[in-house]
Amino acid sequence: ADLLVAAFNPQLGAWHHQPAAVETERHLVRFFANVFGLPETAYGNFTTGGSEANLTGVNVALARQYPQLAKSGLRGLDRQPVILASEESHHTLDKAVQQVGLGHDALIRVPVSGLAEGMDPSALEAAIDRCRADGLDPFMVVGTAGTTNAGIIDPLRAIGEICRTEDLHYHVDGAWGGSIILSERLRDQLDGIELADSIIIDAHKLLSVPMGAGLFICADKSWQAAAFDLDPAYVPRSPVDGMDNFRLSMQFSRRFIGLKLFMTLAAAGRDGMARTIEQQVGMGHRLGRLLEQDGWKVVNGAQLALVCFENPDWTDLDPEERHARNESVARQVVETGQSWISTTRMVGRPVLRACITSYRTGELDLRRLVEALSVARAEI
């Protein structure tokens, strides 16, 4: 698909440039909106990745909540808008608040319920009240469907119900885990995602297509139009209302990102993609068991094909010393050339992180990784 796109170079900025390609992406947007349980008014666009998709979500939420913003800008607001998100949410949100001019202080981090748990709903309610008491104006809450750190899913329904009560835009960052919606076996983990006002996924993660392939969907096309609509004289209008991508997203000229996802789904079908996701998640659980058998401690429950673990013999060490040892382990494993892992911190706790993003990962790959980890641990 990417070879075809590179060769033919279709332009999807406006419908008249490439009607078939635009319609193909519209079909995919409608498909995923339906799978997520969003209303018939739902719309969206493909993006270069999760960063652009989350930035789109912030822009759409601002335009929806502050209609005067398009004309007067932030200076026309009498209170500082703020966004609330889990302390484990993705750092693309930090970029987004900076890029839209809100500043980093406008991103309020809400505590999680525990090391391997998502956002604490009671802490969210308290944070909303505290912001308003301080003269701030919460307008958006971001729930995470699979943290990049550890694959943890926030309590999406509880957060959605709070947003409905408080009249806040509810955005779900499903870049990592949102794709499990295709699996009847796994989709219950996303209970409540249908309450979202906007959702993003990254197809170049669990859906196994080449980078980049982000997807932004919101519950009402008019919110996108409020954020992005323009009508330049040099671009012919689409004969079909709402089919011009440049009027509903940040990009003017744009690549045919959706073709690789369309062809993947056409070849494998929804059931085939669901089995692929289930296979990867199953490999994550299998890796967790192998690590436990080898003396490591899994600290995130092997969520969504992503395993965070530590050496229990090092837990009494200073956190920085543990992090240094984890770094050394990861470096030695990567230097074998057979596996790639990294280090991270879960709520400040240093851990090793193994992330399965290839549908070809198998038992032999897992055993090679565990063996390399064992050798590195023994050397240290």
Side-chain angles (χ1 to χ4, degrees):
D2 265 358
L3 284 170
L4 287 169
V5 170
F8 289 97
N9 198 31
Q11 148 69 309
L12 274 67
W15 182 89
H16 82 279
H17 288 145
Q18 197 65 235
V22 172
E23 297 280 4
T24 298
E25 290 197 344
R26 292 274 73 77
H27 173 75
L28 286 168
V29 169
R30 286 193 296 269
F31 168 76
F32 278 98
N34 180 262
V35 171
F36 280 120
L38 296 181
E40 288 296 316
T41 53
Y43 220 65
N45 297 91
F46 279 84
T47 68
T48 52
S51 295
E52 183 191 340
N54 272 336
L55 176 57
T56 300
V58 173
N59 274 299
V60 166
L62 280 168
R64 178 194 178 193
Q65 301 292 71
Y66 306 104
Q68 71 274 36
L69 199 68
K71 181 178 180 181
S72 62
L74 295 175
R75 69 184 183 278
L77 304 180
D78 56 4
R79 289 192 296 170
Q80 168 70 49
V82 294
I83 300 170
L84 297 103
S86 157
E87 61 183 312
E88 289 289 287
S89 59
H90 199 271
H91 289 84
T92 53
L93 296 174
D94 293 275
K95 287 188 175 185
V97 291
Q98 180 181 0
Q99 290 167 340
V100 299
L102 292 176
H104 291 297
D105 288 347
L107 181 59
I108 310 297
R109 297 285 186 176
V110 179
V112 296
S113 298
L115 181 66
E117 299 179 66
M119 185 193 295
D120 183 345
S122 61
L124 172 62
E125 290 179 303
I128 293 170
D129 292 340
R130 189 165 54 251
C131 286
R132 288 172 175 162
D134 291 341
L136 303 173
D137 190 24
F139 74 97
M140 178 183 189
V141 175
V142 180
T144 304
T147 61
T148 301
N149 251 1
I152 305 299
I153 298 174
D154 284 337
L156 301 179
R157 180 167 297 282
I159 297 171
E161 290 171 351
I162 292 170
C163 289
R164 293 283 173 91
T165 300
E166 300 292 342
D167 192 25
L168 304 176
H169 184 96
Y170 183 27
H171 176 77
V172 174
D173 178 355
W176 172 245
S179 301
I180 68 170
I181 196 71
L182 295 179
S183 166
E184 293 298 331
R185 205 175 81 197
L186 301 172
R187 63 180 292 139
D188 285 350
Q189 297 180 56
L190 300 179
D191 176 56
I193 199 168
E194 70 278 3
L195 299 177
D197 297 306
S198 53
I199 302 170
I200 75 162
I201 61 171
D202 260 351
H204 56 252
K205 293 185 170 71
L206 288 178
L207 293 181
S208 303
V209 305
M211 292 189 287
L215 179 59
F216 169 83
I217 310 173
C218 78
D220 195 314
K221 181 174 61 178
S222 67
W223 304 340
Q224 284 182 261
F228 302 113
D229 197 14
L230 292 170
D231 191 16
Y234 53 83
V235 182
R237 273 182 165 275
S238 163
V240 183
D241 183 53
M243 295 299 285
D244 289 330
N245 286 318
F246 80 92
R247 303 188 69 172
L248 297 166
S249 64
M250 291 191 293
Q251 298 180 43
F252 264 74
S253 300
R254 59 192 306 132
R255 185 178 175 86
F256 191 3
I257 295 171
L259 182 61
K260 52 199 169 191
L261 181 56
F262 178 82
M263 289 176 67
T264 300
L265 282 165
R270 175 177 173 175
D271 291 344
M273 292 308 300
R275 288 194 299 272
T276 299
I277 294 168
E278 291 163 3
Q279 158 79 3
Q280 289 170 254
V281 173
M283 285 289 103
H285 288 291
R286 175 60 177 155
L287 176 58
R289 291 192 294 271
L290 290 173
L291 288 167
E292 295 274 5
Q293 291 168 13
D294 197 49
W296 299 92
K297 180 182 178 182
V298 175
V299 296
N300 73 327
Q303 299 288 327
L304 297 182
L306 204 162
V307 188
C308 291
F309 57 100
E310 63 185 6
N311 182 0
D313 294 338
W314 297 345
T315 52
D316 292 333
L317 297 174
D318 175 82
E320 293 308 313
E321 173 62 21
R322 280 153 52 199
H323 178 67
R325 292 191 180 197
N326 288 343
E327 286 277 314
S328 183
V329 168
R331 182 172 59 254
Q332 290 189 51
V333 169
V334 172
E335 286 174 354
T336 67
Q338 296 192 63
S339 302
W340 191 93
I341 62 170
S342 62
T343 63
T344 189
R345 295 176 188 264
M346 289 180 62
V347 198
R349 181 171 178 167
V351 294
L352 287 153
R353 175 181 179 275
C355 180
I356 298 171
T357 54
S358 172
Y359 66 94
R360 301 178 69 182
T361 300
E363 178 81 12
L364 180 59
D365 300 301
L366 305 185
R367 292 189 177 278
R368 283 174 173 166
L369 170 58
V370 174
E371 181 181 350
L373 285 163
S374 182
V375 170
R377 178 181 57 191
E379 290 183 4
I380 292 170

